[in-house]
Amino acid sequence: MPPNASTSPHALPGAFVISLDFELHWGVRDHQAANGPYQAHLLGARMAVEHLLDLFTEYEVAASWATVGFLFASSKRALEAASPSVRPAYENARLDPYTEPVGESEAGDPLHFAPSLIERICRTPRQEIGTHTFSHYYCGEPGATPDSFEADLHAAQRIAQAEGLALRSIVFPRNQSGADYVRRLPAAGIDVYRGNPPGRLWQVEVGAEGRRLGRRVGRMLDTYLPVDGDDTVGWESVLESGGLANVKASRFLRPYDPRLAALEPLRLRRITRSLAHAARRGRIYHLWWHPHNFGVHLDENLAVLRQILAAFAEARDRYGMVSLSMEGVADRARAGVEEGSRASTRSGSEA
């Protein structure tokens, strides 16, 4: 059976996947100062992590935490020691994270260090630690190269291995990737990645600014109405040639906005309907966001998430839907192919 083959669509159950881009200030440092107005979101993210883990435990839900490698460091000295010798030479100097002023440790700088939160995630059942690259690496920016990207991933693995972790999954920062970068993943021990959603609004953005603006508007509308069609993913699309698994995203869970409170029922319905569709059809529904998206309006955001998790629990009871991490999806898809191959062999021998 070819590497990208799959079992029949109904051979595997519907799966609910959650991935979180865990980055704190490293993800927004090029446009948000650490001591600026966005600081409340970043500090609130630390509290959000605790509440998210409590909810995931309550509903027995798995999640993949794509974590920036810098956050593993216990100190400024440890961060510097773990940094790779080959680094990106971005043409836009503002993107260089190695110039970012940082404190001496998590106690004094909770926006750039988070070993205590990572330890808390590891202690929570069914949670996977993946990578968001070591330095929040931008594959789509001028000055990025596959060689410096691979060096960055090896640094991410080293700092995680010091904590007894082996990283298998990756979320590309700002969803910037490309074939030359994806090909480097296996060499760094990564066998699962989160691809962009399947709809036309998430295709690579090229061309005039007006076209990019149109897609952003379209994505916002699609938050409330089915503008971009089916956002669930078939199991047959997971495995790719070369041994990689692409667990495509379905939807970004936009944070609560009091200015759009009247539209909240539409936002929730858009998500829960897709989730139920995936459960009924044996497809994958992959929701993602950043912890700092919950950093303000925490209670409102958690209330929405609770309703989503309750909808999943109903789908689990009614249709047998399962909650899987990204690596869990990859493992289940590979096991399905192996079982399908064995079944085909048995069928042939009995003919």
Side-chain angles (χ1 to χ4, degrees), residues 219-242:
R219 291 174 188 175
M220 175 60 76
L221 290 174
D222 193 57
T223 300
Y224 304 101
L225 299 169
V227 172
D228 208 19
D230 185 5
D231 55 1
T232 65
V233 178
W235 281 98
E236 71 280 356
S237 72
V238 172
L239 300 184
E240 299 182 337
S241 59

Side-chain angles (χ1 to χ4, degrees), residues 114-131:
S116 69
L117 291 179
I118 294 170
E119 194 273 335
R120 170 80 165 84
I121 295 167
C122 290
R123 283 191 288 108
T124 303
R126 310 193 68 195
Q127 307 306 295
E128 173 201 1
I129 297 287
T131 187

Side-chain angles (χ1 to χ4, degrees), residues 64 128-131 157 160 165-171 185-186 188-194 243-245 325-332 334:
S64 295
E128 173 201 1
I129 297 287
T131 187
Q157 288 283 19
L165 298 170
L167 310 174
R168 288 183 53 196
S169 66
I170 185 172
V171 169
L185 298 180
I190 306 296
D191 67 345
V192 192
Y193 72 99
R194 187 182 78 199
L244 288 172
S325 65
M326 287 174 57
E327 65 178 32
V329 170
D331 291 343
R332 186 71 66 97
R334 292 180 179 119

Side-chain angles (χ1 to χ4, degrees), residues 32-277:
Q32 298 285 355
N35 59 354
Y38 205 71
Q39 185 184 68
H41 291 77
L42 301 175
L43 290 174
R46 298 184 64 91
M47 183 178 297
V49 169
E50 300 281 354
H51 285 281
L52 288 170
L53 292 171
D54 289 342
L55 266 182
F56 294 159
T57 300
E58 178 182 347
Y59 284 90
E60 299 181 336
V61 166
S64 295
W65 296 76
T67 306
V68 169
F70 285 162
L71 295 178
F72 282 86
S74 59
S75 66
K76 180 178 180 179
R77 180 183 228 174
L79 188 155
E80 292 170 346
S83 298
S85 56
V86 179
R87 301 176 183 177
Y90 299 122
E91 291 182 11
N92 180 356
R94 292 178 61 189
L95 298 177
D96 184 359
Y98 295 96
T99 63
E100 180 69 22
V102 299
E104 293 301 321
S105 67
E106 184 178 19
D109 188 353
L111 302 187
H112 295 110
F113 302 93
S116 69
L117 291 179
I118 294 170
E119 194 273 335
R120 170 80 165 84
I121 295 167
C122 290
R123 283 191 288 108
T124 303
R126 310 193 68 195
Q127 307 306 295
E128 173 201 1
I129 297 287
T131 187
H132 205 30
T133 72
F134 181 73
S135 65
H136 205 259
Y137 191 104
Y138 301 116
C139 296
E141 296 293 336
T145 65
D147 286 342
S148 61
F149 172 67
E150 185 176 330
D152 183 280
L153 291 185
H154 283 297
Q157 288 283 19
R158 284 194 300 272
I159 202 167
Q161 287 167 359
E163 303 303 320
L165 298 170
L167 310 174
R168 288 183 53 196
S169 66
I170 185 172
V171 169
F172 287 92
R174 297 187 186 166
N175 299 306
Q176 296 178 1
S177 64
D180 290 341
Y181 294 92
V182 170
R183 278 195 289 267
R184 296 297 184 104
L185 298 180
I190 306 296
D191 67 345
V192 192
Y193 72 99
R194 187 182 78 199
N196 284 345
R200 67 187 185 281
L201 294 174
W202 287 91
Q203 294 172 7
V204 176
E205 297 190 359
V206 296
E209 176 62 27
R211 184 178 301 175
R212 293 195 292 270
L213 176 61
R215 285 184 175 150
R216 287 197 295 270
V217 171
R219 291 174 188 175
M220 175 60 76
L221 290 174
D222 193 57
T223 300
Y224 304 101
L225 299 169
V227 172
D228 208 19
D230 185 5
D231 55 1
T232 65
V233 178
W235 281 98
E236 71 280 356
S237 72
V238 172
L239 300 184
E240 299 182 337
S241 59
L244 288 172
N246 179 1
V247 185
K248 293 180 181 179
S250 296
R251 178 155 304 279
F252 170 57
L253 180 58
R254 290 187 181 275
Y256 174 84
D257 185 338
R259 298 169 298 180
L260 300 173
L263 298 177
E264 280 296 287
L266 291 176
R267 180 167 77 104
L268 180 62
R269 185 173 66 180
R270 181 81 171 96
I271 293 169
T272 56
R273 283 188 171 181
S274 289
L275 193 153
H277 172 72

